[in-house]
Amino acid sequence: MGIEPDPTGAATGEKSGWGGVGALVPPENPTVAAELRALLPRGLPVHTAPLPVIPGALKERLLGYNDALTATAELLRGQRPDVAYFACTGSSYLVGPDRDAALHDAIDAAGAGRGLTAARAILETLAQLRRRRVLVVSPYPDWLTDLAVAHWSAAGLAVAGVRKVPAPDGIYAIAPDEVTALLRDLRPDRDTAVLLSGTGMPTVEAIATVGDELGVPVLSSSLAAAYRALLRVPAPAAEASCLANDLIGRWR
């Protein structure tokens, strides 16, 4: 299975002059490409390269994605993206923040854009917003939620609490209105950011609908990745009018 080119008419970047954003996406993930295209400027190409289908339980699949980063990023060479985004937070949780840099090195080795993991994008965005406390919203099983909390704590954040998203049919079956309803039910402290973890969970519609009502920044992997990707592409893309800049700009 090869890359999925951008279907929006900006697939080559010829009109914009930008190489665009490449995304390394777990197979069957229905969320990443759609959310990136909703968040990024209309003229910025988005290309997806599927990570391989790996047999076994979730933990084995997440670790297998880490091992496949270079080979998957190589699929994007023909598109020459400026950024190659690893759209899987869970894989970073399994190795911890100290080894997240090795994931970037594996992506960079492909020569298909600067590597960016979802975990790093989140940390960079939180740092810019000067937020060190997070309320984690997790659609994961308990063991992966525990790893997420450990990851953010080891990275220097204070985890103010965890709110689980029921996902009896898996993360990909979560509906946007479920996330919207859950956000509306939160009462975060004023010095806290809400972090919606999991690239397969639909988040953009909920953040755009509810975010301002909570009085604190609301981030997700997709939003943070889109925003930090913009800062890695040539100007003027970083200042372009788009949903990512609008949603983050409210809190800068």
Side-chain angles (χ1 to χ4, degrees), residues 19-131:
V21 177
L24 316 181
V25 183
E28 310 304 327
N29 185 311
T31 306
V32 170
E35 293 208 327
L36 287 179
R37 289 173 181 136
L39 288 161
L40 292 167
R42 178 64 174 78
L44 189 67
V46 175
H47 308 281
T48 60
L51 291 151
V53 175
I54 295 171
L58 178 57
K59 181 176 181 179
E60 285 67 41
R61 297 199 302 272
L62 293 174
L63 289 172
Y65 298 155
N66 289 344
D67 294 336
L69 286 178
T70 301
T72 304
E74 286 174 349
L75 298 173
L76 295 168
R77 279 182 179 168
Q79 281 59 48
R80 295 179 294 175
D82 300 296
V83 182
Y85 161 52
F86 180 25
C88 185
T89 357
S91 292
S92 290
Y93 294 158
L94 279 169
V95 300
D98 290 343
R99 294 177 59 194
D100 196 62
L103 304 183
H104 289 83
D105 292 341
I107 300 170
D108 292 344
R114 297 172 60 190
L116 177 66
T117 66
R120 179 176 290 183
I122 290 167
L123 282 174
E124 289 182 358
T125 305
L126 287 170
Q128 184 170 356
L129 297 177
R130 297 181 296 279
R131 298 284 169 148

